[in-house]
Amino acid sequence: MSEIKVVLVDDHQIVRDGIKALLANSLGIKIIGEAQNANAFFAQLKTQIPDVVLLDISLPVMSGIEISKILKTDFPKIKILMLSMYTSEDFVFNALKAGIHGYLPKNTTRDELVLAINEVFKGREYFSKSIADTILKSYVKSAKFGNEVSSDTIKVLTNREQEILRYVVEGLKNPTIAEKLSISIRTVETHKASILKKLELKNTVDLVKFAIKNKIIEL
């Protein structure tokens, strides 16, 4: 199996050194370069193309979001994993619009960083739980909920699972759903796991995206 080639882009040497130390013994991952700003990064792309770039948002010369927009157009095969201390809704959604594939806060663990690199390399999206919660809250806040579920796909779910799906995309937590349906929290968790399995989804953010795509809710 070939190694995942990674480039680090952060304007702080201590941060780059820390990431290199974290990934030093990670099998299957090889750091092939580092850069402190956009000019240095794009100069490197003339001689070597990484599979994944670990990119900060706040950078001199050009922001990580601006860099992402260029990569999306000119280097679409490079997977972009944002690694930033900025985790507010505005930063996250501007990054998503720019074409990133994943987003982690800078206080992430080594294990999660390795997992995220592998996931985006495989063509999947990866967001830490805190970032996923930010995305979910924003989706729900801007959503309009329909009265009927019309998608044929949704018919693989039981009536109870459809009820729980609707509550989930409304942003309700498991205890609240359990109280509304007069069932245990454990039963809610079991139904949610079944929904994810049947719809071939990974997490609650995916559920909300599915609900939007299938017009269960509309933005």
Side-chain angles (χ1 to χ4, degrees):
M1 179 179 176
S2 60
E3 292 179 307
I4 301 171
K5 299 186 293 293
V6 177
V7 167
L8 314 177
V9 184
D10 193 292
D11 59 331
H12 294 99
Q13 183 69 52
I14 192 170
V15 173
R16 300 198 304 273
D17 288 345
I19 295 171
K20 285 188 290 185
L22 283 176
L23 298 177
N25 297 314
S26 300
L27 293 177
I29 296 175
K30 181 180 181 180
I31 297 176
I32 64 169
E34 58 181 288
Q36 73 275 20
N37 58 41
N39 291 342
F41 174 52
F42 286 118
Q44 288 185 33
L45 293 186
K46 295 177 181 178
T47 58
Q48 54 184 0
I49 302 295
D51 299 306
V52 177
V53 56
L54 293 183
L55 184 61
D56 192 11
I57 282 184
S58 179
L59 294 167
V61 182
M62 186 183 295
S63 74
I65 289 173
E66 292 173 303
I67 291 173
S68 296
K69 291 177 181 177
I70 293 172
L71 292 178
K72 184 179 179 181
T73 301
D74 297 343
F75 301 90
K77 291 185 178 180
I78 298 177
K79 305 302 182 184
I80 307 166
L81 182 56
M82 198 68 79
L83 186 63
S84 177
M85 62 181 288
Y86 298 104
T87 58
S88 66
E89 185 177 306
D90 286 346
F91 283 106
V92 173
F93 269 83
N94 283 334
L96 284 170
K97 290 175 185 177
I100 67 162
H101 303 90
Y103 203 122
L104 297 173
K106 279 192 173 177
N107 63 354
T108 193
T109 64
R110 173 193 175 277
D111 288 346
E112 185 167 40
L113 179 58
V114 170
L115 174 61
I117 290 171
N118 278 278
E119 286 294 294
V120 299
F121 173 69
K122 293 173 184 175
R124 302 168 186 155
E125 294 180 334
Y126 188 92
F127 303 98
S128 70
K129 185 180 184 305
S130 61
I131 300 298
D133 286 345
T134 297
I135 296 169
L136 176 61
K137 287 175 184 176
S138 183
Y139 271 136
V140 171
K141 185 171 66 177
S142 61
K144 300 176 183 178
F145 292 83
N147 294 321
E148 300 294 334
V149 176
S150 59
S151 170
D152 289 335
T153 308
I154 208 71
K155 292 177 183 177
V156 301
L157 304 181
T158 65
N159 289 337
R160 176 49 58 89
E161 287 169 346
Q162 290 185 31
E163 282 183 293
I164 289 174
L165 171 61
R166 186 174 292 277
Y167 283 134
V168 168
V169 299
E170 286 176 1
L172 301 187
K173 302 297 184 183
N174 289 354
T176 306
I177 297 173
E179 182 179 352
K180 282 182 171 290
L181 297 178
S182 299
I183 58 178
S184 70
I185 296 174
R186 185 65 176 271
T187 301
V188 173
E189 293 171 347
T190 300
H191 280 306
K192 284 176 68 175
S194 175
I195 293 167
L196 290 172
K197 183 176 180 180
K198 287 181 178 180
L199 299 180
E200 299 181 348
L201 303 173
K202 292 188 297 181
N203 51 44
T204 304
V205 172
D206 285 345
L207 274 179
V208 175
K209 289 180 178 179
F210 172 88
I212 294 168
K213 181 179 178 181
N214 289 277
K215 298 185 179 180
I216 300 167
I217 60 175
E218 296 180 354
L219 293 180

